[in-house]
Amino acid sequence: MAKVFTIPFGQPFLETLADGIMQRFSSNPLLLAKTLVILPTRRGCLGLKEAFQQRRNSQILPRIIALADLEQEPTVPGFIAPVLRPAMPAAQQLGLLSQLILKKEQTSIATALNLAKELMTLLDEIHTSDGDIARLQTLVGTQFAQHWQITLDFLKIITDYWPSILQDYGMIDSAQRRRDNLRVLAQQWAPDYPVILAGTTATRPATADLAKAILNFQNGNIVLPGFEALSEDLPPSTHPLYTLHQFVDRLGSLDIRPWVTLAAPAKARGKLLQQAMAPVINMAQPLSAAEQQDIISNLSMVECRDTGHEALIIALKIRQSLAEGLESIIVITPDMELTRRLQSQLKRWNIIANTSQGTPLTKTVVGTFLCLITQFRSQPTPRGLLALLKHPLCYRHLNRAAHLNHVRQLDLKLRRRRQPNLLSADYVKEEDREWYEGFLKDMVLTDHSSKKSLTEHLDDLIKIAEILCAPEKLWGEADGQRAADYFASLKPHGDFYPPLNGREFRDLLPQLMNQELVHDRQGIGSPVRILGALEARQAHAPLMILAGLNEGTWPQDLASDPWLNRQMRLDLGLPDPLRRIGLSAHDFCLGFSAPQAMLTRSMRKSGTATVPSRWWLRLETLLSIHKIKLDDGKQLKEWAEKLDAPQKIEPAAEPLPCPPLDKRPVHFSTTDIEQLMRDPFGYYARRILKLRKLDVPDEDLDSRDLGNLIHEGLDLYHRLYGNQIDLDKLIDCGEKTFAPFIADPYVQHFWWPRFTSVAHWLVNEWRKRQLDYTFTEIEGTLDFNYGHRRSATITSIADRIDVRDGQAIILDYKTGSTLPTKGDIIAGLSPQLAIEALLLANNGFPPLINHSLSNLEYWHLKGGKDGGAVVNLKDINLLVESTEQGLKNLLQHFLMSATPYLCNPWGESKLKNRDYSQLARLEEWNS
């Protein structure tokens, strides 16, 4: 009598399982009520109950239990399990292993935690696969490089020390207890009622042992998902049926029959799938015209531009199918980003999908709020402060609008300051100071260099979070409840972790919280389900969409084992990593065999080109051989293009602002004149509209900041020491100006050495010159007549003016990589030195009245080996004359006629910055 059955690909597993149970036991309701059905997951148990409820002749349900529950506690009717040692909680195990790692290696607590997680994974694999931990120390033989011995020495943590720690606590590893619970059932359970183990692939030896024991029961049956006999004895490990054939070989059963007798299913896609999954593609089974038509009617493959486009295409397919009356749709994808995008797209039509993939606690509203609190308390930064204050859960003492008004003012203040002291309210406006001081008080800022236990840190965090946000709002939603439950379970084990300072707790908390998943409660009962590959194994729908079919996503990349290479794993008795690809292939086959299947992939993800999944490529190859052209989603793509396309596209015209003459400024600095020449629209936006680009809070220093620091250091030196030439004093002045930023690694290792190189070069250059006196940062002013009774004020601040033999030498320090070109200087696009020469000629510098001009020089302070270079401008008298005439023409052009301020008149190569290009919508009209 056959006791091993299969439900083939293409049949709804749970519904067919329910039909088979009813056929066998419906005549005996009492026996049906005693029957025990074991499924791999709790989701599968719920699905089977729904399948029974949908059958009108089902008055009594069998007992249904998840294999995962039996692993935790083997409680089945009529069996009393022996008492096993309790499993050590994962939080306690993680803390103890972290302490062992810190004692063995000099590393950070965050790194120790990561290593502890990897050790826990290795322990789980060894116990689950019936491996022997003691064999770890004998794995490195002559065939392996000796550096592997270093790894095995580290693994003494789990071979030598960990077993005794478990013995001291009277506990065992959780994976070992799960294995032992199933072994107890397999060895001691002898029920007198029917038992059906269904849907498992028995990747764990303990599960296979339980299945073998069930076969020996008087009325025990095994139901396999999608088993098919193959010509070869055992396919390669990447084959979708590899694990099932390995399971059947272990059972020793050769008589495998269909669970129920069904009408002959369509074989077309089965043939195609069999050819696609074969180790070597062969054409032994050609497809008939009817089979080809069946494939064309029920299968589509849609290639999308990117992940966002793929989500929109899938959402449109779902919307279309629901409108056509389809009652159930399943989307299968391991890609969590695609899942989130798809959920967002479905909300266009108020479709709420039921999802199985949880969100890591750190990515939830409450999780980010808690992490932001720890980040600010341990290392306050402007960005972290603003992120915390703008978080929707902050701030309970004011209404939201009043709180955000304070935050906006603080935001503007922080954008104008470099490295403010965030722990003081001195830099805050007077009207916001009381609010900010209250916030700092609520944060309970203390000395975070002192170490405390994890439990104390968690108590402090919860206390502060409840001060900043009302507890009912903080813990009321699903993510808040999950966080509260997790902290409650973690705190009793806090003493097993090493003592932590504030920064260590900041690094540790996200790693701990990232292990917890928050499941969305919305979408329960929805006709649309978005499932991961594991959750979809027993699911079935008339339309199944297999999404994210790219290498690295489906199948997922094989995670490299940090401890053992592949051969070592096999020698230890651990499963071949390639087996995971075979399991993914089996999941793909289950979805592919649905009545209607749609396959999708994106050609780019996060801006990077993707590689199609190996199954996608094999199907494409076979379809081209069979000359089958599938639906490629052309209609869906057309809808997607039209969905968000504007009814009419009107590119913006080139802006031609032309303010009244009396609104145009008549006071110009050399910077204004340069911008007016290079980018009149930018000058208009900055000087007339008074618009300024907002700096990014805590923005990284750039080359302009380096120039400012060097200028400030030189100016400080000349103000303090005049014409003295002293390298040590110059270096000392540089240290004072660089001091607020020296903690920045880039400043410390690149900018400061550049300044010292420049200082040596400057001192040597100054010593070469015999100067009468020197002026630095000297301001000059000129009332410039540009027409009849019309004048404008021209100002400039010269970096340095040297006087030698009664003649002036005007210097301009340049710290950039390049100097102004000769063409730009002549054209007036780089007019600073020429304008300063004009001011000198017209006695615009009060200390230098009646001084003639000797030289115009650029001092290129480039640092490095050379330190700097001096570049003299030629034909300075002609340059001054042309500058005077050019300046007159420029002012007449803009101040005596209604001339518009053009955007980018010289082309983008002459723009010094693009601060106002977006305001001018340059890309729209200049493409």
Side-chain angles (χ1 to χ4, degrees), residues 524-753:
I524 296 176
S526 171
V528 181
R529 288 176 285 170
I530 307 174
L531 307 178
L534 176 64
E535 294 83 4
R537 285 180 181 174
Q538 279 97 47
H540 186 81
L543 171 62
M544 299 188 78
I545 301 173
L546 283 63
L549 285 167
N550 289 319
E551 283 293 308
T553 301
W554 199 357
Q556 292 182 329
D557 287 329
L558 295 178
S560 58
D561 191 325
W563 311 117
L564 307 172
N565 63 29
R566 185 184 178 198
Q567 188 58 50
M568 288 178 180
R569 289 177 58 88
L570 296 177
D571 292 345
L572 191 60
L574 302 183
D576 188 345
L578 294 177
R579 187 184 67 171
R580 298 176 190 171
I581 296 179
L583 291 171
S584 292
H586 187 265
D587 298 334
F588 174 82
C589 293
L590 288 171
F592 184 84
S593 304
Q596 287 189 0
M598 176 180 172
L599 280 55
T600 68
R601 66 169 294 264
S602 56
M603 292 186 287
R604 301 187 72 83
K605 183 176 181 180
S606 301
T608 305
T610 59
V611 178
S613 169
R614 62 194 69 191
W615 309 313
W616 181 285
L617 293 175
R618 280 176 164 256
L619 285 171
E620 276 189 336
T621 302
L622 283 169
L623 291 169
S624 64
I625 293 173
H626 289 297
K627 298 181 180 180
I628 298 175
K629 184 172 178 57
L630 295 181
D631 175 17
D632 60 358
K634 181 179 179 181
Q635 181 68 68
L636 295 173
K637 290 177 181 178
E638 289 178 357
W639 289 344
E641 292 298 325
K642 294 178 180 178
L643 192 62
D644 294 320
Q647 294 182 352
K648 188 177 181 181
I649 299 177
E650 293 183 1
E654 179 181 359
L656 299 171
C658 191
L661 295 180
D662 61 344
K663 301 298 183 183
R664 303 189 181 202
V666 292
H667 184 286
F668 298 88
S669 67
T670 50
T671 302
D672 293 335
I673 294 170
E674 181 172 357
Q675 187 175 28
L676 190 57
M677 285 291 297
R678 291 178 178 269
D679 183 18
F681 180 84
Y683 170 83
Y684 161 78
R686 183 174 64 88
R687 285 297 309 277
I688 299 176
L689 298 183
K690 308 296 184 185
L691 298 177
R692 295 288 190 279
K693 179 185 176 182
L694 289 176
D695 294 328
V696 177
D698 200 25
E699 187 174 20
D700 293 335
L701 300 174
D702 56 22
S703 57
R704 182 174 57 183
D705 297 306
L706 170 62
N708 292 336
L709 288 175
I710 291 178
H711 278 74
E712 290 171 11
L714 295 177
D715 182 53
L716 177 63
Y717 172 78
H718 287 298
R719 283 191 284 107
L720 293 178
Y721 305 110
N723 292 334
Q724 292 185 40
I725 301 176
D726 189 315
L727 177 61
D728 293 336
K729 291 178 179 178
L730 179 57
I731 295 292
D732 182 63
C733 291
E735 288 177 346
K736 291 178 180 178
T737 56
F738 275 76
F741 310 99
I742 202 65
D744 188 317
Y746 195 76
V747 174
Q748 184 176 357
H749 298 292
F750 292 94
W751 287 13
W752 176 246

Side-chain angles (χ1 to χ4, degrees), residues 141-155:
T142 57
Q143 72 272 32
F144 297 118
Q146 283 303 307
H147 71 264
W148 286 104
Q149 189 61 50
I150 299 174
T151 301
L152 296 187
D153 287 341
F154 182 83
L155 292 179

Side-chain angles (χ1 to χ4, degrees), residues 125 144 311 320 525 539:
E125 281 195 287
F144 297 118
Q320 179 192 24

Side-chain angles (χ1 to χ4, degrees), residues 361-374:
L361 184 56
T362 50
K363 295 186 180 298
T364 63
V365 174
V366 171
T368 55
F369 181 59
L370 297 172
C371 290
L372 286 171
I373 292 173
T374 60

Side-chain angles (χ1 to χ4, degrees), residues 279-517:
V280 178
I281 293 179
N282 62 73
M283 299 301 299
Q285 293 181 307
L287 299 175
S288 66
E291 289 174 331
Q292 292 187 15
Q293 186 57 45
D294 177 66
I295 291 173
I296 293 172
S297 302
N298 298 303
L299 181 64
S300 62
M301 296 176 66
V302 183
E303 202 166 36
C304 308
R305 288 193 310 269
D306 51 39
T307 308
H309 189 226
E310 184 179 7
L312 179 56
I313 293 294
I314 297 171
L316 284 167
K317 180 64 177 179
I318 292 172
R319 177 70 179 86
Q320 179 192 24
S321 301
L322 292 176
E324 291 173 353
L326 209 61
E327 295 182 352
S328 179
I329 302 169
I330 293 178
V331 180
I332 308 174
T333 180
D335 191 339
M336 295 187 66
E337 178 190 350
L338 179 60
T339 297
R340 290 193 292 270
R341 288 178 179 269
L342 179 55
Q343 287 178 289
S344 177
Q345 292 289 357
L346 288 173
K347 289 178 181 178
R348 290 173 180 263
W349 303 287
N350 296 320
I351 299 173
I352 305 298
N354 181 11
T355 62
S356 66
Q357 298 174 338
T359 303
L361 184 56
T362 50
K363 295 186 180 298
T364 63
V365 174
V366 171
T368 55
F369 181 59
L370 297 172
C371 290
L372 286 171
I373 292 173
T374 60
Q375 289 168 13
F376 181 78
R377 296 186 75 224
S378 62
Q379 188 175 8
T381 64
R383 294 187 195 185
L385 171 63
L386 292 174
L388 174 59
L389 291 174
K390 292 179 181 180
H391 194 281
L393 294 181
C394 186
Y395 186 63
R396 70 179 292 187
H397 298 306
L398 295 172
N399 64 63
R400 185 68 179 167
H403 170 67
L404 290 179
N405 283 335
H406 288 298
V407 176
R408 291 187 189 101
Q409 294 301 317
L410 179 65
D411 190 345
L412 292 173
K413 196 74 175 177
L414 288 173
R415 290 176 186 272
R416 302 188 187 104
R417 297 180 68 90
R418 293 282 191 181
Q419 300 184 343
N421 180 12
L422 300 178
L423 304 184
S424 169
D426 294 341
Y427 73 96
V428 181
K429 286 185 177 181
E430 187 67 35
E431 58 268 26
D432 299 319
R433 192 161 295 172
E434 182 180 354
W435 161 81
Y436 190 69
E437 288 175 343
F439 166 75
L440 293 177
K441 181 180 178 181
D442 289 340
M443 291 298 290
V444 194
L445 298 168
T446 58
D447 179 15
H448 284 275
S449 61
S450 60
K451 291 181 177 286
K452 296 189 291 187
S453 70
L454 177 61
T455 302
E456 290 175 308
H457 278 294
L458 290 173
D459 288 336
D460 290 345
L461 175 61
I462 293 171
K463 179 182 177 181
I464 294 170
E466 290 182 346
I467 291 174
L468 296 179
C469 180
E472 61 273 13
K473 184 177 181 181
L474 180 63
W475 313 115
E477 300 297 328
D479 55 345
Q481 292 176 13
R482 188 72 196 93
D485 293 342
Y486 178 61
F487 287 165
S489 66
L490 184 61
K491 283 197 289 185
H493 309 294
D495 292 336
F496 295 108
Y497 289 79
L500 309 164
N501 61 32
R503 293 193 177 187
E504 290 169 340
F505 177 66
R506 175 202 64 193
D507 296 337
L508 179 68
L509 183 67
Q511 295 192 48
L512 292 173
M513 293 171 58
N514 213 38
Q515 302 176 96
E516 300 301 309
L517 296 178

Side-chain angles (χ1 to χ4, degrees), residues 248-296:
V248 169
D249 287 349
R250 186 158 186 167
L251 292 177
S253 175
L254 298 177
D255 185 16
I256 300 176
R257 299 183 182 181
W259 176 243
V260 295
T261 303
L262 300 168
K267 299 281 187 179
R269 264 185 296 158
K271 286 184 180 180
L272 184 67
L273 191 60
Q274 190 175 19
Q275 293 173 2
M277 293 298 173
V280 178
I281 293 179
N282 62 73
M283 299 301 299
Q285 293 181 307
L287 299 175
S288 66
E291 289 174 331
Q292 292 187 15
Q293 186 57 45
D294 177 66
I295 291 173
I296 293 172

